[in-house]
Amino acid sequence: MLKLVRLHYSPSFQLQPLASLKTNQKSRSAAAIPSKQLSLAPSFCSCCGRRHFIEAATAAFLPSSPSKSNASTSHSDHYLDLLNRIHPPRPDWYEEFYASVMDTSMKPYEAKIAGYKSQLFEKIKGKAKRVLEIGIGTGPNLEYYAGDNEVQVFGLDPNKKMEKYARAAATAVGLPSKNFHFIEAVAEAIPIDDSSVDAVVGTLVLCSVQDVNMALTEVKRVLKPGGLFLFIEHVAAEDGTSLRLWQTLVDPLQQAVADGCHLTRETGKYISSSGFSSLELSMASLYNAPFSLITPHVYGVACN
């Protein structure tokens, strides 16, 4: 049951900031996954108080017992099947081109939205020891983990070419290489065990997933009880406005050139109805690349 929804609207984006799972580049298989270290740490919820993984790798995050070996293999196949269906293998040159474009074209957007991100990441800084980023991309959020040598960041993305950019971003901000793990997978099928991370972060990712409800179900599954989901997403403008009309007209082109990104998706409604125990959801008009427009965004924190 939803305990709290706080809606705010900020007409301006001028907000001041507050004070590998490495996959084989030639195949859809993964390197060894770090051993799972689940803990029963107290909840810190501030809201309420594609590639084939070999059986041994998947089992590191799945319940391990001899009787469940077949189940582990089944999970591996499930992740691979969904990855191939949602993000079919593409030519390396295309994946590299898209990753390089994202690495350069989004910098103005990141500069404009930094204040909002700083506020959100303050909620988990020094508290979350295991963080999953869905849609890690080229790693623009890694700077917000700087100075925390204990955090383990698992960056999930279906584009394997994003890894080198994300690792470079981690190095640039001083995040130890042993603390960053890249997972080649989709948000609809996360190869991580139930209740195994303290926080999940998603920024500009639910606009492009194929199945929003399925992705949010996976987010809730991998979060520990009391774990936090941080999000920032651009959303559809109000019906009847000229901006909504423009979004509707451009949306097919946007999906084609921006890896499935939807301009008219009402992501806030999906998050609100996904069953989090509590939710802080705000709205603001923010600069949105690549069209240099001010568009509606939702941002906030949900507690599992």
Side-chain angles (χ1 to χ4, degrees):
M1 178 180 294
L2 197 64
K3 295 182 180 178
L4 170 66
V5 176
R6 298 195 302 181
L7 295 174
H8 307 284
Y9 177 75
S10 174
S12 171
F13 58 79
Q14 299 295 334
L15 178 69
Q16 296 299 319
L18 295 179
S20 160
L21 300 186
K22 185 176 180 182
T23 57
N24 188 304
Q25 297 295 326
K26 296 182 180 179
S27 66
R28 297 195 163 185
S29 60
I33 298 176
S35 59
K36 180 176 64 175
Q37 297 178 349
L38 297 180
S39 65
L40 297 178
S43 165
F44 58 87
C45 177
S46 62
C47 306
C48 56
R50 189 111 92 126
R51 284 37 176 176
H52 182 59
F53 285 80
I54 60 175
E55 180 176 348
T58 306
F61 275 108
L62 294 170
S64 57
S65 68
S67 62
K68 294 188 178 181
S69 59
N70 290 336
S72 297
T73 302
S74 176
H75 277 284
S76 291
D77 293 340
H78 173 65
Y79 299 135
L80 175 62
D81 290 345
L82 277 177
L83 176 57
N84 285 331
R85 177 166 60 82
I86 294 173
H87 190 87
R90 300 171 183 178
D92 280 354
W93 70 263
Y94 176 83
E95 298 276 62
E96 173 61 36
F97 173 74
Y98 188 78
S100 65
V101 169
M102 292 297 292
D103 190 49
T104 56
S105 66
M106 295 301 291
K107 290 181 179 179
Y109 173 84
E110 293 298 332
K112 295 291 186 181
I113 204 170
Y116 290 90
K117 286 191 174 182
S118 294
Q119 292 183 59
L120 289 180
F121 278 89
E122 279 296 318
K123 295 183 179 294
I124 64 172
K125 191 171 184 178
K127 302 172 184 177
K129 301 306 179 186
R130 293 170 62 86
V131 179
L132 170 68
E133 284 229 13
I134 55 174
I136 184 74
T138 59
N141 293 333
L142 293 176
E143 64 177 288
Y144 300 102
Y145 305 105
D148 188 349
N149 292 327
E150 295 185 9
V151 66
Q152 295 287 322
V153 181
F154 299 86
L156 182 147
D157 202 282
N159 184 346
K160 62 181 179 292
K161 296 298 184 180
M162 295 290 188
E163 180 177 5
K164 70 176 182 180
Y165 294 98
R167 289 196 176 279
T171 300
V173 300
L175 183 68
S177 59
K178 64 181 178 63
N179 290 28
F180 178 69
H181 315 275
F182 186 86
I183 311 172
E184 193 178 0
V186 292
E188 291 92 335
I190 301 173
I192 292 180
D193 197 10
D194 299 356
S195 305
S196 59
V197 297
D198 301 302
V200 175
V201 176
T203 59
L204 300 190
V205 61
L206 294 180
C207 60
S208 58
V209 300
Q210 189 175 100
D211 190 321
V212 183
N213 287 326
M214 192 172 182
L216 288 171
T217 297
E218 282 289 270
V219 167
K220 288 172 57 60
R221 179 184 65 78
V222 302
L223 274 173
K224 295 178 182 179
L228 301 184
F229 173 45
L230 312 186
F231 58 88
I232 299 179
E233 300 285 345
H234 67 77
V235 295
E238 185 178 353
D239 283 334
T241 63
S242 57
L243 179 56
R244 180 59 178 267
L245 175 61
W246 177 88
Q247 288 178 322
T248 302
L249 293 173
V250 177
D251 195 45
L253 175 62
Q254 174 78 354
Q255 292 182 46
V257 302
D259 213 16
C261 174
H262 293 69
L263 294 174
T264 57
R265 184 165 280 176
E266 297 180 333
T267 306
K269 293 182 179 179
Y270 284 99
I271 297 174
S272 297
S273 61
S274 58
F276 286 100
S277 64
S278 60
L279 172 66
E280 294 179 5
L281 186 150
S282 301
M283 295 191 67
S285 292
L286 305 173
Y287 168 92
N288 188 22
F291 300 105
S292 300
L293 293 174
I294 305 301
T295 60
H297 281 59
V298 294
Y299 66 97
V301 182
C303 182
N304 198 27

